Amino acid sequence: MGSIWEIDFYSRPILDANQKKVWEVLICESPADVGKSMDSLFRYTQYCPSTEVNSGWLRTALQEAITQAGEAPIKIRFFRRQMNNMITKACQDIGIPAQPSRRALVLNQWLKQRMEEVYPQEPGYQGGTNPSVRLERPLPQRLPDALEGKQWAFVSLQAADFAEMSEWEIGFGEAFPLEIAQLSPETRIPGVLIFSPRALPIAGWMSGLELAFLKFDTTKGERLILETGATESWILENIKNPQILAEAKGFEEAKQKANGVHFIGVQSDPDAQSFTGFWLLQEVNLP
């Protein structure tokens, strides 16, 4: 399996000689497992004059990045919806699928680092925020009936337990190095396990989405929500039982203590020794 890349193409808090915003493309490899070293991830960056912001310029930058990396990725993730057309066009022109996704953990960390350490050193730097355009998000959808789990449970593991994740028997799934979240080995990482005789189609359906994170939501009742893609979300469960409600609150509290890290697993039944699906997730605040 080839690599997956994360991309951001947007204006930065820097003005050129004509007092126009300087744009920049950031490209980085998206780690797929816990054993990947952050230092080994491919990265590429290039500034773009505001007069040349178009899919053609971006296509050329992508081609240069592929040359530097030595191979093309199997897909490219991006989180800024307002850049959808330009990024999708540039990727299509070189034959790589582009996927709206909030699973841009390395890119998010890199952007924060550049905002703090790199851009302030550039001529024309303009302090303050460089907000992204906020677009309206659709309401959470109900899961298709065929994909609802027969039962599910809140569980937790220590961060140290994930050191052996590469040895677990997992069908569909994805992870990332926990050094991204800077957790101690003793940190409890909360998760949700879904059990169903239809574990395979459930995990297969999930693998076709860009899983972002799970959250306990109280805006309209008390619900467990699965966030996917750039804006999509799904209602995993409407919670009524007081005991499960307490566990859901505990899940959310533990997730915050673990810097947003959590997981979701799919198994055929509670006694299964393997995972039909397992995803390590992190909730982050993207620009």
Side-chain angles (χ1 to χ4, degrees), residues 10-131:
Y10 205 64
S11 64
R12 304 302 183 216
I14 306 168
L15 298 182
D16 61 18
N18 297 316
Q19 300 301 295
K20 300 292 185 181
K21 278 281 185 73
V22 173
W23 282 58
E24 180 187 45
V25 61
L26 291 180
I27 300 170
C28 62
E29 184 180 349
S30 190
D33 59 73
V34 292
K36 190 80 172 181
S37 167
M38 292 289 287
D39 293 335
S40 70
L41 298 178
F42 172 72
R43 297 177 189 241
Y44 174 91
T45 179
Q46 184 181 348
Y47 285 129
C48 173
S50 60
T51 54
E52 297 182 34
V53 175
N54 55 55
S55 62
W57 185 96
L58 182 57
R59 179 186 67 242
T60 300
L62 282 166
Q63 290 169 327
E64 291 177 0
I66 290 170
T67 299
Q68 286 190 18
E71 64 175 0
I74 59 172
K75 71 176 176 180
I76 295 178
R77 292 170 167 152
F78 66 95
F79 66 87
R80 293 193 201 266
R81 284 190 291 157
Q82 63 270 39
M83 300 305 298
N84 179 83
N85 292 343
M86 196 178 297
I87 291 176
T88 300
K89 175 74 165 60
C91 292
Q92 284 178 341
D93 287 347
I94 57 175
I96 300 172
Q99 189 77 47
S101 175
R102 281 171 283 178
R103 194 177 179 89
L105 306 180
V106 177
L107 184 60
N108 183 59
Q109 195 175 76
W110 193 18
L111 264 172
K112 288 180 178 178
Q113 180 262 326
R114 291 181 70 78
M115 285 290 185
E116 294 172 1
E117 303 174 13
V118 177
Y119 306 142
Q121 307 304 317
E122 297 283 3
Y125 171 69
Q126 301 291 302
T129 59
N130 189 47

Side-chain angles (χ1 to χ4, degrees), residues 112-231:
K112 288 180 178 178
Q113 180 262 326
R114 291 181 70 78
M115 285 290 185
E116 294 172 1
E117 303 174 13
V118 177
Y119 306 142
Q121 307 304 317
E122 297 283 3
Y125 171 69
Q126 301 291 302
T129 59
N130 189 47
S132 179
V133 176
R134 295 295 176 185
L135 302 177
E136 188 174 341
R137 296 182 53 199
L139 294 173
Q141 306 173 64
R142 283 188 65 249
L143 279 179
D145 292 342
L147 296 173
E148 291 187 358
K150 186 175 181 180
Q151 64 181 119
W152 53 279
F154 288 105
V155 295
S156 69
L157 294 169
Q158 282 194 333
D161 295 333
F162 287 88
E164 300 175 357
M165 186 174 170
S166 60
E167 301 174 14
W168 300 353
E169 186 178 341
I170 298 172
F172 299 96
E174 191 172 349
F176 56 84
L178 283 177
E179 64 180 285
I180 288 178
Q182 300 177 324
L183 301 179
S184 68
E186 299 79 24
T187 302
R188 301 300 301 185
I189 296 180
V192 169
L193 293 181
I194 299 172
F195 307 110
S196 172
R198 295 181 54 81
L200 186 60
I202 290 175
W205 175 78
M206 286 184 170
S207 73
L209 304 174
E210 284 290 318
L211 300 191
F213 56 88
L214 284 166
K215 70 176 182 181
F216 173 56
D217 178 70
T218 58
T219 56
K220 291 187 177 180
E222 283 139 341
R223 311 176 295 182
L224 190 62
I225 302 290
L226 174 63
E227 298 281 347
T228 67
T231 59

